[in-house]
Each structure stands twice: as structure tokens, then as C-alpha cells.
Amino acid sequence: AQRVTQPEKLLSVFKGAPVELKCNYSYSGSPELFWYVQYSRQRLQLLLRHISRESIKGFTADLNKGETSFHLKKPFAQEEDSAMYYCALQTDSWGKLQFGAGTQVVVTP
Amino acid sequence: EAGVVQSPRYKIIEKKQPVAFWCNPISGHNTLYWYRQNLGQGPELLIRYENEEAVDDSQLPKDRFSAERLKGVDSTLKIQPAELGDSAVYLCASSLGQLIYNEQFFGPGTRLTVL
């Protein structure tokens, strides 16, 4: 069965500290993975996608097929990174996404 | 550019009442999605449209939920009758098409409370 697991509901870090959000998936096909972010009182938006291999706002994510993981990392957290982060797995060629339950990140000064 | 527009933003109804949500996607976006997001969970796809055709409605509870996308632009999602368990945020999203690198753009959502 297809599944996306984000084990941490809440992650609290200090400004300037590294932050890592865990995402594990279960999928029999070739995975395409995404991170979406929702800032306070804003709508859900794409942060980055695996296929682009990009770094957005200092965040990177590496697909590890052996560990079936797609963890999101940032070396130095900023207060503006406080938000809800969702890992998403595309489960068909038509763009259907399956989301994890999300991780709330709180960056304190 | 207003992005994906949804209305109403909030709706409170009593159980067994009908309710409808409206979505206007970004201009030119052929693909439209309706998601339901329960408290503490990520969004779950209910139905996906390619233009006016519903191409994936496998997750839509068809006994009480219905949707339409007339003329391949605006869409309406309806619940009749609503149940307590339908309380959630209903999100609409749109994208240019079905390719995997086509980003989905989300609306602000409609928060439904069923009493």
C-alpha cells in the first residue's frame, strides 16, 4: 500500500540551528516526491520537488530509495521557517498526490 | 493574479443539511482537484478533473458527495446530507496539466463545521 509517514508532529528548534524533517514513504513504483509548506494564514504551496533537485529558501531534500526516505533539511533555521510542512508522494502519472500528516516547525529566537 | 479562489471561506451547518463549495481555478489551468483535510492530517484527494471530465473520483463518497465542473472552469463540490464526520477543510487546487512537474496551486480552503 502507498503510504507517506512523517513521524514528527512538532519540531521545535532554535534560530541558527540545523533542522531536519523526516519523511518516509511506501510505494512499489518509481517515486516522485514533494515538500509542501503552509505558513501561518497562508495557503498550501510547493516548497520543492525531487525531480528538480533544487534548493529553495535554503532547504534541500535527498531521495534515498534504499531507506525509502525524503528528508527535508536546512543547515541554519530562520524564524520565517516556522510553518507546517507536508511531504507528498505522487502515486500515478496524472499528478495524484498522497500527503503525510505534516510536521509543525517552530523556530524560536 | 488572485490564484485559486474558493468560497465560502467558512461554513457552519447542522447535520443532515446540504452544503456546497465553489472553486475558481487559475486561468488556463486544465486540471482541478478537490481535497479534504481532516484536523491533524494532510490533504486527501476527493476528485480530479481534466477540463470538464472527472478522471479520478475513486475517493469521493458518492452516496452523499457530488461534484461538477461545467465548461471546464469553475467547479462545485456538494455534500447532501452532511454528517458530523464531514467537518474538515475542503481545498481546491489547480494545475496546468497532468505532467509530474506541473505544480499544484492551492486555494485558501473552506472550513466546514457540521453541528
Side-chain angles (χ1 to χ4, degrees):
Chain A
Q2 301 142 355
R3 186 167 58 246
V4 178
T5 303
Q6 293 181 251
E8 304 126 336
K9 285 193 174 298
L10 175 65
L11 211 51
S12 184
V13 299
F14 286 107
K15 177 182 175 181
V19 60
E20 181 179 36
L21 288 74
K22 291 184 168 50
C23 172
N24 289 93
Y25 66 90
S26 174
Y27 185 56
S28 57
S30 182
E32 293 298 339
L33 288 141
F34 306 80
W35 278 98
Y36 277 77
V37 61
Q38 186 166 24
Y39 301 102
S40 180
R41 287 187 281 276
Q42 294 188 28
R43 55 189 70 188
L44 193 62
Q45 60 187 282
L46 178 67
L47 178 62
L48 57 80
R49 66 197 103 186
H50 156 248
I51 195 171
S52 302
R53 290 173 169 72
E54 56 202 347
S55 173
I56 302 293
K57 298 183 179 182
F59 284 97
T60 59
D62 292 319
L63 177 62
N64 186 323
K65 292 186 179 180
E67 295 182 359
T68 60
S69 68
F70 188 58
H71 303 331
L72 183 69
K73 301 176 185 178
K74 184 170 183 177
F76 307 103
Q78 302 300 312
E79 289 179 68
E80 55 265 30
D81 296 327
S82 295
M84 193 74 175
Y85 292 81
Y86 295 95
C87 181
L89 168 69
Q90 183 162 317
T91 57
D92 66 17
S93 59
W94 309 106
K96 181 174 182 177
L97 293 178
Q98 182 159 342
F99 287 84
T103 297
Q104 179 74 48
V105 172
V106 176
V107 181
T108 53
Chain B
E1 175 70 74
V4 176
V5 179
Q6 290 187 246
S7 69
R9 294 293 311 278
Y10 304 91
K11 189 73 176 179
I12 300 174
I13 61 172
E14 293 187 348
K15 62 181 180 182
K16 302 184 181 179
Q17 294 299 306
V19 64
F21 314 123
W22 175 80
C23 173
N24 178 243
I26 292 173
S27 177
H29 281 194
N30 298 326
T31 308
L32 184 145
Y33 312 78
W34 281 104
Y35 289 88
R36 177 171 59 189
Q37 185 172 19
N38 292 313
L39 188 65
Q41 300 296 318
E44 296 176 339
L45 181 70
L46 291 174
I47 189 169
R48 178 176 67 215
Y49 281 92
E50 292 299 327
N51 298 305
E52 64 273 10
E53 182 183 359
V55 296
D56 183 357
D57 62 356
S58 57
Q59 300 292 98
L60 191 72
K62 298 181 183 63
D63 56 336
R64 298 183 299 106
F65 285 66
S66 64
E68 61 182 11
R69 191 183 184 196
L70 300 176
K71 302 181 181 179
V73 182
D74 293 0
S75 178
T76 302
L77 178 69
K78 298 178 181 179
I79 308 174
Q80 182 171 11
E83 296 179 352
L84 295 176
D86 296 331
S87 294
V89 175
Y90 291 82
L91 296 167
C92 179
S94 70
S95 70
L96 279 172
Q98 299 173 354
L99 298 174
I100 61 172
Y101 46 81
N102 277 331
E103 178 180 351
Q104 291 186 29
F105 293 84
F106 284 81
T110 297
R111 183 176 297 277
L112 174 67
T113 302
V114 182
L115 303 175

